[in-house]
Amino acid sequence: MKIIHITPYFMEYIAGQEKFVFSLCNELANQGFDVWILTSKLRSGDRCIESYNGINVIRHRRLFTVMRTPITPSIVKSVLKHSDASIIHVHNPYHFQTLATYIIKSISIMKSKFILHEHGILTLGDVFFDFLVKLYEKTLLRRILKSFDCLIFLSHYSANRIITEAKINIKEKLIRIIPNAIDIKSYSEKAKAVDISLSLNFLRRTLKSNISYEDRFKVLFVGPVIKRKGIDVILNALNILVNKYEHKDILLFIVGGGDQLINSLRYIRRHKLQDYAYVLGPVSEDVLISLYKLSDLVVLPSRAEGVPTTIIEALLLGRPVLATNLPSIIEYFKPYIKTISND
């Protein structure tokens, strides 16, 4: 059986959705399915085909990006070439690839079953762009939801919110509530083989300084460095704690990349936080596990979320978590973490 997964990004830009798509496709491939991933190519260049851990990946040339959405028209041709696929699984309803797949489904005679998988309600933290998102939900997304054969939502909240906003009636049998998850056994086994020394050595090489960590309260942020993830919120909080209340024992590690990376570095320099905040960029899974173990607190000040992989990983490693009290986070994690308002 051939299964096609369509996703905006895949393992060039790494976040929770990308990790989930990889884990799902990897398991399907291990079970003998013919798995293909159609995605965008972040770096310049033409369409290319590659194998990633035994999974067939077609990266399509990105013409440009709008609201963090890669525009890849050539993906239409790829989908039509795989018309023999039994299942076409589209990830994230807020991207160009979803709209392109909807158009294909509307005008073609493909017999494939089409699945649309929500990975979090889109909120960009900008009044104008968030207005455009609402407009999209009430118009195009409304048509898209009605056309797919199965809709997967991360939480009951996101299902109710998106369907209500689109003002449509969907048959209950077409809706599935499936939260994000990770392979607990595999992750736990990998975590056992990693200790704090790995992150300490990584920090010494990366920062090129002999910072004392033992007597500092270490806070870890993991995720795309973008406004939706609240990177500005955690930096503002750090600035207040250090410069207003003179809590000089705090140390913030920022893991990930994104379009707010440069602005974050500028903020750190402008407010003289160089000894308190370190932007580490993307790191390997082993280094990340070690950083979790090193940290005293994991923070997730997001403005919008699905079911964050960061929280799952942190809890598995016994780390306390502070996150914003978003509905999907409350739905799954309320008894296990501390939450605060994102206002």
Side-chain angles (χ1 to χ4, degrees):
M1 177 188 291
K2 179 187 283 188
I3 302 175
I4 306 296
H5 286 265
I6 302 176
T7 183
Y9 304 102
F10 180 72
M11 306 314 282
E12 286 185 316
Y13 174 94
I14 302 177
Q17 178 180 318
E18 289 66 38
K19 289 181 178 180
F20 174 84
V21 173
F22 169 70
S23 297
L24 176 58
C25 291
N26 191 53
E27 181 61 29
L28 290 171
N30 289 338
Q31 292 185 24
F33 292 99
D34 183 15
V35 181
W36 290 76
I37 294 177
L38 309 184
T39 188
S40 64
K41 187 177 183 181
L42 284 185
R43 296 184 293 271
S44 61
D46 294 329
R47 173 182 177 274
C48 66
I49 302 176
E50 62 186 53
S51 177
Y52 190 95
N53 219 51
I55 303 167
N56 304 300
V57 180
I58 305 179
R59 299 191 185 276
H60 298 82
R61 182 168 174 262
R62 176 174 54 96
L63 295 185
F64 52 90
T65 300
V66 178
M67 295 170 63
R68 301 188 62 250
T69 298
I71 307 302
T72 54
S74 61
I75 203 167
V76 173
K77 188 176 181 180
S78 288
V79 175
L80 291 172
K81 276 189 174 182
H82 290 277
S83 59
D84 59 334
S86 299
I87 296 173
I88 295 180
H89 191 148
V90 185
H91 297 269
N92 197 328
Y94 295 99
H95 281 271
F96 170 82
Q97 289 75 11
T98 302
L99 178 59
T101 306
Y102 160 69
I103 293 171
I104 293 168
K105 188 177 188 304
S106 301
I107 65 176
S108 73
I109 55 172
M110 293 178 65
K111 296 181 180 179
S112 311
K113 292 295 183 181
F114 287 76
I115 299 172
L116 181 59
H117 198 142
E118 172 258 337
H119 286 273
I121 295 169
L122 182 61
T123 301
L124 298 173
D126 180 280
V127 174
F128 176 69
F129 286 124
D130 287 343
F131 166 76
L132 293 180
V133 170
K134 291 274 190 179
L135 185 62
Y136 168 75
E137 290 176 339
K138 293 178 180 179
T139 54
L140 286 173
L141 185 55
R142 184 173 188 271
R143 294 172 177 268
I144 292 169
L145 293 172
K146 290 174 67 176
S147 71
F148 274 69
D149 301 301
C150 178
L151 303 174
I152 298 177
F153 296 96
L154 295 183
S155 65
H156 291 89
Y157 166 77
S158 60
N160 293 332
R161 158 70 172 72
I162 291 175
I163 292 172
T164 301
E165 197 67 40
K167 296 181 179 179
I168 54 174
N169 293 317
I170 301 289
K171 293 180 180 179
E172 191 173 335
K173 67 178 182 180
L174 301 181
I175 298 174
R176 300 289 186 272
I177 308 297
I178 305 176
N180 283 345
I182 63 176
D183 186 332
I184 294 177
K185 182 180 178 181
S186 175
Y187 192 82
S188 299
E189 289 176 353
K190 182 172 289 189
K192 286 179 182 178
V194 176
D195 59 28
I196 292 175
S197 64
L198 180 63
S199 59
L200 292 174
N201 291 332
F202 170 81
L203 291 170
R204 291 190 189 99
R205 292 195 310 270
T206 304
L207 304 179
K208 297 179 180 178
S209 63
N210 295 316
I211 301 171
S212 175
Y213 302 104
E214 289 76 11
D215 56 348
R216 306 284 291 273
F217 186 81
K218 297 168 285 295
V219 179
L220 179 64
F221 170 92
V222 180
V225 185
I226 58 178
K227 194 168 184 180
R228 181 174 64 84
K229 289 290 185 176
I231 186 63
D232 56 317
V233 175
I234 185 63
L235 287 176
N236 286 335
L238 179 66
N239 180 41
I240 292 170
L241 288 171
V242 170
N243 292 320
K244 183 176 180 179
Y245 294 104
E246 298 187 347
H247 289 290
K248 307 295 185 179
D249 62 335
I250 297 177
L251 200 56
L252 171 65
F253 297 122
I254 299 171
V255 173
D259 57 22
Q260 291 298 306
L261 201 60
I262 300 301
N263 288 338
S264 298
L265 289 168
R266 287 172 179 164
Y267 185 96
I268 290 168
R269 286 194 297 269
R270 185 165 65 250
H271 294 278
K272 297 182 171 59
L273 296 172
Q274 295 94 325
D275 293 332
Y276 307 95
Y278 295 96
V279 179
L280 305 178
V283 301
S284 69
E285 186 175 29
D286 285 349
V287 170
L288 178 57
I289 289 172
S290 185
L291 284 169
Y292 276 127
K293 291 184 175 183
L294 178 68
S295 301
D296 299 299
L297 178 69
V298 176
V299 293
L300 197 67
S302 304
R303 292 181 168 88
E305 274 296 349
V307 180
T309 304
T310 296
I311 294 181
I312 300 174
E313 292 173 343
L315 291 177
L316 278 175
L317 293 170
R319 297 298 89 189
V321 176
L322 178 65
T324 40
N325 58 352
L326 299 169
S328 58
I329 290 178
I330 295 296
E331 184 173 327
Y332 290 109
F333 300 112
K334 186 177 180 180
Y336 313 107
I337 67 174
K338 295 293 184 181
T339 59
I340 57 173
S341 171
N342 63 348
D343 295 331

